[in-house]
Amino acid sequence: MQKREGIMDNNAKNKQLDAALKETEFLLSESQRLAHIGSWSWDITAEQLFWTPEMYNICGVSPATFVLTEQSFLGLIHPDHRTAMERWIKACIAGEKPQDLEFSIILPDGSTRFISGRGDLQYDSNNKPFRLVGTAQDITERRRAEEELHLLHIMTKEVSESEDFHEAMNIVVRKFCEVAGSVYGEAWVPSPDKSYFEIDAAWYSTIKGLEEFRKKSVDIKFYMDKGIPGRVWASKKPLWVRDISMDTNFDALVKSPKCRKSPL
């Protein structure tokens, strides 16, 4: 009888431990999700990587379809930061304790996300390195806020030194393109009677061959809720269109054969 009671007590304790473990895992997952922080580990000997669910979320991939390896992870990183990541990993494995690394990844939809990563080398009982563990935090919002403040500071300084409105607009368009990585930009301003948007003299391009596109834009008028300028005017909110040639609301000019052949 006592033996049976002992077994029942053990079963009850095991159930309690399982429930506590599940609750702990849930709280950890939720805290990482809310803080946009994912955890990872890499078994150096077995060359096996492990990610928490939030790591997959941060990188924009699914554990059901993404085959997690060192090379597949490096494939997510922006080409400009890939070499730095490879050096950082080697430094971690060598026990050099490198500083946190900020890098960017390219999501499946083509957008960019900024990440801050840190890692720590762990040793076995024989004092040999066997595993790297670390975290990755999504800092995209912070980085964009910093860039916006930096851009605002530069534009405010240069605009205050410009001679007139059109020179100031040229500065704004150029600086916006430089920060956003755009190859072409132009400014649209309200008409004198504020009934439509017309193109301003300010424009900027880093590649040749867009002069014809610019000339075609001069005669265009955008009324409220028409074309990208009109839609921004109506909503009073920024608008990003990744492929304007696929945007059914964009002006027919951009879809014309001449413009579709342009380098834009």
Side-chain angles (χ1 to χ4, degrees), residues 136-154:
Q137 183 174 17
D138 181 356
I139 58 170
T140 304
E141 291 185 5
R142 190 196 80 191
R143 281 291 298 270
R144 287 178 177 166
E146 291 173 351
E147 290 175 354
E148 288 174 1
L149 286 174
H150 180 64
L151 175 61
L152 181 61
H153 173 74
I154 292 176

Side-chain angles (χ1 to χ4, degrees), residues 207-210 212-213 254 256-264:
I207 57 177
K208 296 180 179 180
L210 294 179
E212 186 65 25
F213 180 88
V254 180
S256 67
K258 286 185 178 180
C259 288
R260 295 195 66 150
K261 290 180 181 179
S262 72
L264 186 62

Side-chain angles (χ1 to χ4, degrees), residues 99-113:
Q99 295 181 345
D100 295 359
L101 178 67
E102 291 192 2
F103 59 98
S104 60
I105 61 173
I106 301 176
L107 300 179
D109 64 1
S111 60
T112 301
R113 185 169 286 173

Side-chain angles (χ1 to χ4, degrees), residues 12-13 23 27 39 41 64-65 71 79 109 113 136 178 193 212 218 227:
K13 289 180 180 179
E23 183 66 16
L27 292 175
S39 300
S41 67
T65 56
Q71 291 305 312
D109 64 1
R113 185 169 286 173
E178 290 174 352
D193 63 358
E212 186 65 25
V218 172

